[in-house]
Amino acid sequence: MSDSIEIKAIVGNKTTISDCPVTDPASNVKDAKASSALKKSSRYRSRSLSASSTDSYSSASCTGSSSEDDDISPREKVQKNSSGNFDFCVRNINQHAFGRREIEIAEQEMPGIMALRRRAADDKPLRNAKIVGCTHINAQTAVLIETLAALGANLRWAACNIYSTQNEVAAALAEAGFSIFAWRGETEEDFWWCIDKCVNAENWQPNMILDDGGDATHLMLKKYPAMFKMIKGIVEESVTGVHRLYQLSKAGKLTVPAMNVNDSVTKTKYDNLYSCRESIIDSLKRSTDLMFGGKQVVICGFGEVGKGCSQALKGLGCVVYVTEIDPICALQASMDGNRVVKLNEVIRNVDIVITATGNKNVVTREHMDKMKNGCIVCNMGHSNTEIDVNNLRTPDLTWEKVRSQVDHVIWPDGKRIILLAEGRLVNLSCSSLPSFVVSITSATQALALIELFNAPAGRYKSDVYLLPKKMDEYVASLHLPTFDAHLTELTDEQAKYMGLNKAGPFKPNYYRY
């Protein structure tokens, strides 16, 4: 089978399975101003940052020094790339060469998405696709963006997280001609402004959304409902975003088809489990220089993310507690040797608290009042709602910035907790993700976009669908050559005995990997 025929065969297989509102953009402006004012108050202390305490994603990491322009909002700058294009907004376009090297390094460790780029480039399956992207913007995402462009798509892209953007990578993409609106350290107002610039532009009618958290979907639905109805499909990759899509669907407000990539096997097992298993250690080490042996850790939530975190921390000698609402996940946690508890039972004694639920107010101010001095609090879930950070911004508590993405929150009696990334996603704010795992997720996202964009009218209703299993298997097969792995092939007799097609899919949709 030729590569182009193979792509078409994969896209042609169809399987359909169907099943907290996002904060209104207008309300975030007020919150952002309040937050900014608080930080400038006398209750917020800031230590000077040394070169060594600046994390590897900061703007200083590219040049080794800061400039006077660093304090100027990118929205106030006039920047052009070397082609004279100015349809972008990044921290500093002059960092593009450094960012390009970061992208080239990522490409070496992303074999699946690069293979997909080579195999489908001639067919251009995304020709005439106009995609609004709202994801983390880093070197790995840049590989996905350039792959989608190579497959024929026209793109405008914003960040789904105000702290996870690699400024130099955003500059490299802008230099390459992409309309990128993102920089590290955006305010909430900047965040919504960037997404709006991607959605609403002159001579631009988007027909696809690639979302991480549902913010682009929400903004378009609320602010540009007529434009939203013209969308051919939405691809969503986060627990929170998928939850919001199901809410829209049940309320009858989802007027376009959506693909739930988060619950595809290649996303849940690899990105959520294996990636988090490595990146939680990296995040905590980089930000706190912590010794893990003997530390007591409580992980809130034992889904795939919680499982990965637990494996990593136990491997380094931590005593791990787990909180859960689901008896099945709780039983899994127990069988893996974790103690399942309620948070109040251990909150006074633990050294580290990690949230991984996708819910809100999992760790409250009351919990943090009980924590011991030096307790580290961080979030591995998607949203920044799991830790009740807003109730830490009160006059009785002092915030002291220790280093980038690391704050001491100090109580009147001198007790302090260490809060990472202000409660946002710690592994994307304080470390980097393994490129290989992102390659798996990126290939899954690309195939989902191809599927929805090329689907005949009527094949997908205005509902939420899972990725066809054949595509999951195809994504996995793209990455096997890296390990020199050789798949066994069924004989005709074996295939008939099992009732399978020799080319797959090999498992029913209800199979749990």
Side-chain angles (χ1 to χ4, degrees), residues 182-352:
W183 58 94
R184 187 176 179 85
E186 299 167 2
T187 65
E188 292 289 332
E189 182 184 2
D190 292 334
F191 172 80
W192 292 108
W193 178 86
C194 287
I195 298 175
D196 191 85
K197 291 290 288 184
C198 292
V199 171
N200 183 30
E202 191 175 350
N203 300 320
W204 167 258
Q205 175 62 56
N207 53 27
M208 297 293 292
I209 299 174
L210 177 57
D211 221 347
D212 186 336
D215 294 318
T217 300
H218 172 72
L219 183 139
M220 194 181 296
L221 182 61
K222 289 270 290 187
K223 198 170 181 181
Y224 307 102
M227 188 184 295
F228 184 79
K229 292 179 181 178
M230 303 295 289
I231 295 294
K232 292 191 68 173
I234 301 167
V235 174
E236 172 60 59
E237 73 151 332
S238 76
V239 173
T240 307
V242 165
H243 177 63
R244 290 164 178 167
L245 285 175
Y246 283 129
Q247 285 184 324
L248 287 174
S249 179
K250 289 176 183 177
K253 297 179 181 179
L254 185 64
T255 56
V256 300
M259 193 75 80
N260 169 5
V261 167
N262 178 74
D263 291 313
S264 64
V265 179
T266 42
K267 170 66 165 62
T268 54
K269 284 296 178 182
Y270 301 98
D271 195 340
N272 294 16
L273 176 64
Y274 296 115
S275 175
C276 294
R277 189 171 69 182
E278 297 194 18
S279 60
I280 182 61
I281 301 299
D282 190 24
S283 305
L284 291 169
K285 282 284 190 187
R286 287 198 200 200
S287 54
T288 66
D289 309 316
L290 185 70
M291 179 77 181
F292 289 98
K295 293 293 191 297
Q296 296 190 62
V297 183
V298 59
I299 300 172
C300 302
F302 202 70
E304 298 299 329
V305 173
K307 289 179 175 70
C309 292
S310 170
Q311 289 176 20
L313 292 163
K314 285 172 66 179
L316 290 177
C318 290
V319 177
V320 178
Y321 301 98
V322 168
T323 71
E324 251 302 338
I325 60 167
D326 186 327
I328 296 174
C329 293
L331 184 58
Q332 286 179 312
S334 298
M335 296 290 282
D336 280 350
N338 303 292
R339 175 87 185 282
V340 179
V341 297
K342 292 183 177 180
L343 190 55
N344 275 329
E345 296 172 6
V346 295
I347 197 64
R348 295 181 185 277
N349 300 318
V350 293
D351 302 291
I352 307 170

Side-chain angles (χ1 to χ4, degrees), residues 59-60 63-70:
S59 58
T63 60
S65 62
S66 60
S67 69
E68 294 178 359
D69 291 340
D70 287 344

Side-chain angles (χ1 to χ4, degrees), residues 433-453:
L433 291 183
S435 295
F436 186 85
V437 168
V438 185
S439 175
I440 297 172
T441 301
S442 296
T444 306
Q445 291 171 317
L447 284 175
L449 286 167
I450 292 170
E451 167 69 6
L452 284 179
F453 183 71

Side-chain angles (χ1 to χ4, degrees), residues 344-365:
N344 275 329
E345 296 172 6
V346 295
I347 197 64
R348 295 181 185 277
N349 300 318
V350 293
D351 302 291
I352 307 170
V353 178
I354 301 169
T355 56
T357 69
N359 209 327
K360 65 181 295 185
N361 295 334
V362 177
V363 177
T364 64
R365 170 66 188 269

Side-chain angles (χ1 to χ4, degrees), residues 336-512:
D336 280 350
N338 303 292
R339 175 87 185 282
V340 179
V341 297
K342 292 183 177 180
L343 190 55
N344 275 329
E345 296 172 6
V346 295
I347 197 64
R348 295 181 185 277
N349 300 318
V350 293
D351 302 291
I352 307 170
V353 178
I354 301 169
T355 56
T357 69
N359 209 327
K360 65 181 295 185
N361 295 334
V362 177
V363 177
T364 64
R365 170 66 188 269
E366 182 183 356
H367 289 130
M368 290 181 276
D369 285 340
K370 296 176 182 176
M371 289 177 184
K372 69 180 184 180
N373 184 53
C375 185
I376 298 168
V377 185
C378 65
N379 171 40
M380 283 289 285
H382 169 79
S383 181
N384 63 335
T385 59
E386 300 199 34
I387 301 166
D388 187 11
V389 176
N390 287 336
N391 275 325
L392 293 179
R393 299 190 184 281
T394 55
D396 61 318
L397 301 183
T398 302
W399 283 58
E400 180 180 75
K401 192 166 205 58
V402 181
R403 57 172 68 160
S404 179
Q405 308 303 326
V406 181
D407 290 294
H408 281 170
V409 183
I410 307 171
W411 267 249
D413 63 358
K415 183 196 87 170
R416 61 183 64 199
I417 67 169
I418 301 170
L419 179 65
L420 304 184
E422 297 185 27
R424 294 180 181 270
L425 194 54
V426 70
N427 59 348
L428 276 159
S429 300
C430 297
S431 72
S432 59
L433 291 183
S435 295
F436 186 85
V437 168
V438 185
S439 175
I440 297 172
T441 301
S442 296
T444 306
Q445 291 171 317
L447 284 175
L449 286 167
I450 292 170
E451 167 69 6
L452 284 179
F453 183 71
N454 291 285
R459 175 172 289 158
Y460 291 101
K461 311 299 181 185
S462 298
D463 211 335
V464 186
Y465 296 85
L466 289 177
L467 190 76
K469 187 170 291 290
K470 184 64 178 173
M471 292 189 185
D472 265 326
E473 293 178 353
Y474 182 64
V475 170
S477 71
L478 288 173
H479 293 82
L480 287 176
T482 301
F483 304 102
D484 193 27
H486 305 274
L487 283 174
T488 301
E489 295 182 12
L490 291 173
T491 65
D492 291 337
E493 183 183 8
Q494 287 173 327
K496 184 178 179 180
Y497 179 78
M498 296 293 291
L500 297 174
N501 186 315
K502 290 176 68 174
F506 298 100
K507 299 289 190 297
N509 285 322
Y510 56 79
Y511 183 81
R512 304 299 179 195

